Amino acid sequence: MRFALLSLALLAAPAAAQDDGPIVVTGYSELEQQIKSFVGALTPASPRGQIARFETAVCPGVFGIPEAQRAAVRERLRAVAKGIGLDVAKPDCTPNLLVMVAADKNAFVKALGKDHNYMFGDRTPAQVRKILAEPGPATAWQIQTMVNGDGRIVANEGDMPVNRTTRNPSRITAAARPAFLAAAVVIDGAALDGLTTTQLADYAAMRALARIDPARIDAAAPSTILRILDAASDSEVPVTLTQWDFAFLKGLYSSPDNLYAPSQRSEIERTMNEEFDRAGSEGAPPRDKSPG
């Protein structure tokens, strides 16, 4: 109704002074630039590097909150994973996507490093300290391996990795690529005050399913669930994954295998544009959308 009244008012308004200059359409190019900036901030990798992702079925595990809430977060994580095209393991699986809520994030991660250092894979003590040093109420990391062009793990023979594959070598695509074996997200419980299990699950999904540093996101960037933990108590925050978040994850997990980072980013950007077009945005970012 408000839009209709505005349209009538514009039609009834006196004609403005004529301007014979060319009409310049900027909306779509601005959207494309926003997408490029958003993807660039969420995908730190060198030009000859690659953006890792899960290539096996994910199995969420949640710890540190009551069982009813744990179940809700697990189911939401499973729904998000399915929504972006990931395989999800059966309910009795061994968790490889861990969400841990702690009274003290830093103390908890230190304890993991002391008593359960296998949780950090083959990271060195200096790399573990870098995880500890992440500012804010949350930290996340992934354990990864290398798989060859056929998707099989590149095994070591002696001290050297040996890539046994039937694929022909190429300068365009990589002979091997990094893949996540597991991911962990640790969140300070005090930061969750007032948030829902959906918001917790969706934040964890972004941090676990992609190697993201929220500090890289510009303040002027589009709406994202990644801001919910650091937002002021009186500010509005997304109640779920935003369309930007969901389109990014979908682009990451639908892009072809074995690409280098620049080509991966291009594929993610293309998918995001398609998602926005499908939502009927007509060149403007659509409304927030749950992966449902």
Side-chain angles (χ1 to χ4, degrees):
M1 177 64 74
R2 192 175 303 165
F3 176 79
L5 291 174
L6 175 60
S7 300
L8 290 172
L10 290 173
L11 289 172
Q18 294 296 316
D19 183 354
D20 293 330
I23 296 174
V24 179
V25 179
T26 62
Y28 189 66
S29 61
E30 289 174 0
L31 176 62
E32 285 188 321
Q33 185 55 51
Q34 280 187 301
I35 291 173
K36 184 179 289 293
S37 297
F38 190 76
V39 172
L42 300 186
T43 54
S46 65
R48 295 298 289 178
Q50 294 161 284
I51 304 164
R53 57 190 179 181
F54 274 100
E55 298 196 19
T56 55
V58 296
C59 176
V62 185
F63 306 92
I65 54 178
E67 174 54 33
Q69 295 177 340
R70 289 167 57 189
V73 173
R74 283 195 302 268
E75 289 309 305
R76 177 63 179 180
L77 285 166
R78 296 171 74 87
V80 171
K82 287 180 181 178
I84 63 174
L86 253 174
D87 291 333
V88 179
K90 295 179 179 180
D92 59 349
C93 55
T94 300
N96 61 0
L97 192 167
L98 303 176
V99 180
M100 296 168 279
V101 178
D104 185 322
K105 178 200 75 172
N106 287 344
F108 183 79
V109 176
K110 282 182 181 178
L112 283 181
K114 180 180 178 181
D115 301 325
H116 305 281
N117 60 351
Y118 62 87
M119 292 280 292
F120 297 96
D122 58 359
R123 279 181 171 80
T124 64
Q127 291 171 325
V128 174
R129 286 195 294 271
K130 186 175 180 180
I131 293 172
L132 273 168
E134 181 177 342
T139 190
W141 66 93
Q142 287 83 11
I143 298 174
Q144 68 182 41
T145 188
M146 293 297 292
V147 298
N148 64 20
D150 301 316
R152 294 194 294 267
I153 291 178
V154 177
N156 285 345
E157 293 187 6
D159 295 329
M160 295 292 294
V162 177
N163 185 357
R164 301 186 184 280
T165 179
T166 58
R167 295 173 65 94
N168 293 325
S170 168
R171 294 185 179 182
I172 300 175
T173 58
R177 61 185 185 270
F180 296 155
L181 293 175
V185 183
V186 179
I187 302 175
D188 201 305
L192 298 176
D193 186 34
L195 299 181
T196 67
T197 54
T198 295
Q199 289 171 306
L200 167 58
D202 287 1
Y203 175 87
M206 285 292 286
R207 295 299 308 271
L209 298 177
R211 182 166 289 162
I212 286 172
D213 179 2
R216 288 170 51 91
I217 302 174
D218 188 87
S223 176
T224 171
I225 196 72
L226 291 168
R227 292 200 180 103
I228 61 170
L229 299 185
D230 298 311
S233 58
D234 58 346
S235 62
E236 293 186 6
V237 295
V239 296
T240 180
L241 282 174
T242 70
Q243 182 70 14
W244 286 84
D245 297 326
F246 183 62
F248 168 78
L249 288 176
K250 192 167 183 180
L252 173 62
Y253 279 90
S254 65
S255 60
D257 297 334
N258 303 318
L259 298 179
Y260 290 108
S263 296
Q264 285 180 289
R265 292 190 187 100
S266 295
E267 287 296 315
I268 296 170
E269 291 163 15
R270 182 184 60 79
T271 298
M272 292 183 71
N273 272 298
E274 290 177 353
E275 285 293 304
F276 290 167
D277 286 344
R278 189 176 295 115
S281 62
E282 297 182 358
R287 295 173 295 175
D288 293 353
K289 173 184 173 185
S290 166

